[in-house]
Amino acid sequence: MARNKYDEDEQLEAPFDFTHLKRSYVYIKKYQGKMVLSLVLSMAAAVFGLVGPLLTQRALDKTIPEKNVKELMLLGFGLLGFNLAATILGNIRGRIMTVVGQNIIFDIREDLFAHLQKLPFTYYDDRPHGKILIRVINYVNSVSDMLSNGIINFVMEILNMVFILVFMLMVSPKLTLVALSGLPIFMLVMFAIKKQQRRAWQDVSNKSSNMNAYLQENIVGARITQVFTREEENAEIYDQLNGKYRKAWMRAVKFSNLVWPATDNISTLIRAALFVIGLLVMPQGAVSLGVLAAMTGYASRFWQPIMNISNIMNNFINNIAYLERIFETLDEPVTITDKEGAEELGEITGQVSFEDVTFGYEKGINVLEHISFDVKAGESVALVGPTGAGKSTIVSLISRFYDIEHGRITVDGVPISDVTLKSLRSQMGIMLQDSFIFSGTILDNIRYSKLDATDEEVRAAAKTVCADEFIRQMEQGYDTEVNERGSKLSGGEKQLISFARTLLSDPKILVLDEATSSIDAKTEALLQQGINRLLKGRTSFIIAHRLSTIRNCDRIMYIDEKGILESGSHDELMEKRGAYYKLYTAQSA
């Protein structure tokens, strides 16, 4: 996938690889019984549909000349009955395959979503989210039809050709050879069109993916767009992407539209040749009107499965590329996961140790180098320093959002790499800089961290962080619906709700990353009282640029130059008159 590029095409040009099709059998085998039933129904419907020209031949050659009204009526009812049976069986088959197709979509999307939730932060940092979405939505839709209807239709169209060929041979072997004479011409036309047609539709998919990636990015950043009046520039970029998509679509449709006229023209020429050879070339009386009518009917039908098979193969080749992208996502390694033999952490006291830890987001570029420190259970530690020094990185490593390259991190003396992620993170309360609010009620958003929490527990957490008052003032209180990302809430309100969500989990280790950055001074003073009560008996890591909020912490660590430059209480660091002193006095001034 093109990383962080909405204007760069994915490479979808791939050979037809049966390996991917074979691997997809895991999604097919659950429904193979229904697919076999669908195939049987399709075969029966095809045979019933092919009886019609035989009945027409009988009527023209015998029944009508003999003026047998009773037989003619029977033939008419028979024709109606066979066509009706074919329609009913086809409808039943269609319903079965609709269910199968939707079940396959459900299974693939369920696996994709479950896997995407386990992927590390680095996966989402490196890729346009819109291009991830198009794999889960568009590619899965396309692939599911190939895995269900595509396979059945491919087998069915081959059987249709065999059935039609058998019926034609039953009517007239000589005219059957005439009907087959157009095949070489058809193959030449398809050979000239199909490769370009496949590439054209792959280009459509690429341009759709690019447009989707840019659209998703702009929906998320709509407010920033308006703040900086970027509407016209963004509209111009989108027009360019949209124009490329339209151009690609029109080119693909141009190639597709060549198939139908070519097939129709060849089919028309073959039917004309049947009449010419049957009436003018062959001996007089050798071919009856009924035989000609039956053969022209079968000849027109014979070309349909040929064209369908060609389209199905083209669709297969396209969808194999999509299937490869789906499996590529499913194969993306979950680098942050429970190692083999990982044990439950058990209830912790909250002692945290870093032992000679080195870490970098990119190989060869370290953010932290050889950091070591010990935090006692119940101790509060503030991390300060310039932007980008590694403060948020340290708390992310404690939660094991990333794996370290060198050293060891322990909680209560147990390496965090040796325990299950759930047992570690379930005892940590983490409030990141991004106060993400989900669509739903305020009650549901706070309860997100503890699904079995009672309404009273939710309100108690909200009161602790001074959120209860503004929530109760809303029209429906805690049952007030909020939009995705909390667009109707102020920045401070979102942070308070996020804070309540973190506190509700009753963590042994509390991480507050810029927890009060969007809260006014008056609310912050009240909130600080709640924080001080909450910190008692809990190990806490607090990142704050407002140094007045962390004066009472047991320890303050100044992070810079890939390590800890200073460490001590507020008074101790002020006496040193070092980096913390300069930062504090500058901020106070």
Side-chain angles (χ1 to χ4, degrees), residues 16 18 42 66 90 113 120 175 240 250 264 363 389 464 482 501:
F16 190 86
F18 277 101
S42 296
E66 293 178 357
F113 184 75
L175 291 180
Q240 292 175 359
M250 295 303 294
D264 285 340
K363 192 171 183 179
T464 302
V482 291
R501 178 170 60 203

Side-chain angles (χ1 to χ4, degrees), residues 314-352:
N314 188 56
N315 191 40
F316 265 31
I317 293 170
N318 285 341
N319 280 287
I320 284 296
Y322 302 155
L323 196 61
E324 183 181 3
R325 298 302 174 269
I326 291 171
F327 286 135
E328 179 185 78
T329 303
L330 289 172
D331 291 339
E332 190 70 32
V334 181
T335 54
I336 309 299
T337 186
D338 298 339
K339 75 175 189 179
E340 188 176 351
E343 300 179 353
E344 297 292 318
L345 180 58
E347 188 171 349
I348 63 173
T349 60
Q351 180 184 350
V352 177

